[in-house]
Amino acid sequence: MMSMYTKNINTHLVEIKDYFKVAISVDCVIFGFNNDELKVLLIESDLKEFKGKWSLLGDIVRPEEELDEAAYRVLKARTGLDDVYMEQVQTFGAIQRHPAGRVITVAYYSLVNIEHVELKTHNNELHWHSVKDLQEMAFDHKLILDTCHERLKQQVLVQPIGFNLLPRKFSLRELQNLYEAILDMELDRRNFRKKFLSMDLLMDLNEEEEDVPHRPAKLYKFNFDKYDQRKKRYLGIGF
């Protein structure tokens, strides 16, 4: 009598090529912050199916690469940066998501200081775009962007990862503008400042802004001695 069960790849050696062909890629949602706006780095697609549309930065994962290695390779190749905050978010595998065939992609988001980025353009256009202004993108990249943005919203409320988007010295106004841009909501100025100052995450530099059209504000920097990102100490930053 024939068994009703098929061989499982986890219990039997199976020649994958006999079943299907599939490619694995990584797509990087590279967030930056500039002019009080949350931005994402995009490249113009050169595929005829998506002519004139913008896409995320990504690439096929090479046979010898780990997923994280591939994501950092893409980031380094386009921004010149490799020591940045990066997080794996979700896998996207809709059958028709790529015109080249079955491509399963793993999405990452990273947080970079735009001032430190040296954009490496090759043949395609490469630009920073305001996240809130994006309506339509190539492939399923708008869905990937929105998913990563939602994860970022969740994470900034439990970990102070937003500091990765700021310059080394910043004002409380810049810090609040950053959180409002990420969360897409207005925050009470008094409560916001009280909350952050009470968590001992900021160091007063005893300096003020220079060459600003408004009253100079005090400058702070992130207190790395009080928080180690590698330990992922959850803070529960609620507003």
Side-chain angles (χ1 to χ4, degrees):
M1 182 177 178
M2 184 178 294
S3 171
M4 62 180 293
Y5 298 105
T6 58
K7 290 183 177 181
N8 188 303
I9 194 172
N10 294 322
T11 59
H12 294 79
L13 290 176
V14 177
E15 290 292 332
I16 296 177
K17 65 181 177 62
D18 293 337
Y19 283 76
F20 55 84
K21 292 182 179 180
V22 63
I24 305 295
S25 69
V26 291
D27 279 303
C28 299
V29 178
I30 304 172
F31 287 117
F33 182 67
N34 183 251
N35 294 327
D36 295 335
E37 288 187 319
L38 181 66
K39 298 191 175 182
V40 62
L41 187 60
L42 301 178
I43 189 168
E44 188 175 9
S45 176
D46 58 3
L47 296 180
K48 63 180 182 179
E49 293 89 346
F50 303 112
K51 185 177 181 180
K53 293 185 180 179
W54 295 90
S55 69
L56 301 169
L57 296 173
D59 198 7
I60 296 295
V61 179
R62 296 169 180 170
E64 72 280 4
E65 280 184 317
E66 298 288 347
L67 288 171
D68 289 1
E69 288 182 80
Y72 275 111
R73 171 172 58 82
V74 170
L75 182 71
K76 175 73 172 179
R78 288 298 189 171
T79 69
L81 302 176
D82 52 15
D83 184 19
V84 301
Y85 182 90
M86 179 177 284
E87 181 177 338
Q88 186 181 126
V89 178
Q90 186 173 315
T91 301
F92 295 81
I95 296 175
Q96 302 295 334
R97 63 171 303 275
H98 200 292
R102 188 72 191 274
V103 181
I104 297 173
T105 195
V106 181
Y108 288 77
Y109 81 74
S110 60
L111 307 176
V112 303
N113 184 331
I114 289 181
E115 294 179 359
H116 297 163
V117 173
E118 297 180 8
L119 296 183
K120 309 294 179 67
T121 58
H122 301 304
N123 297 324
N124 304 55
E125 290 292 325
L126 188 64
H127 293 291
W128 290 100
H129 294 253
S130 174
V131 170
K132 66 180 181 180
D133 293 338
L134 285 168
Q135 300 297 325
E136 188 177 0
M137 298 174 63
F139 309 97
D140 55 354
H141 287 184
K142 183 62 166 63
L143 173 61
I144 295 175
L145 170 60
D146 290 345
T147 302
C148 288
H149 188 193
E150 286 301 316
R151 176 66 65 85
L152 175 58
K153 288 181 181 180
Q154 296 168 12
Q155 289 299 92
V156 296
L157 294 177
V158 295
Q159 296 182 46
I161 58 174
F163 288 98
N164 293 282
L165 294 166
L166 291 171
R168 190 179 72 86
K169 300 178 182 181
F170 53 86
S171 67
L172 290 178
R173 178 175 53 253
E174 288 176 297
L175 181 60
Q176 181 170 341
N177 289 344
L178 169 66
Y179 271 78
E180 289 182 338
I182 292 174
L183 298 172
D184 194 23
M185 61 183 294
E186 291 187 11
L187 300 171
D188 181 81
R189 177 175 177 271
R190 182 177 178 182
N191 288 340
F192 180 88
R193 297 187 175 203
K194 181 179 179 181
K195 183 75 173 181
F196 262 98
L197 291 175
S198 69
M199 289 188 296
D200 202 23
L201 290 174
L202 305 179
M203 291 182 63
D204 189 339
L205 296 174
N206 294 315
E207 299 178 30
E208 291 186 342
E209 295 175 307
E210 297 180 354
D211 301 322
V212 291
H214 48 73
R215 180 180 176 182
K218 295 177 66 174
L219 293 175
Y220 296 83
K221 72 175 183 178
F222 183 60
N223 191 345
F224 287 96
D225 293 334
K226 292 292 184 179
Y227 184 87
D228 187 342
Q229 285 187 156
R230 291 169 297 179
K231 295 179 182 178
K232 291 189 176 180
R233 178 164 59 91
Y234 287 84
L235 302 173
I237 306 171
F239 303 109

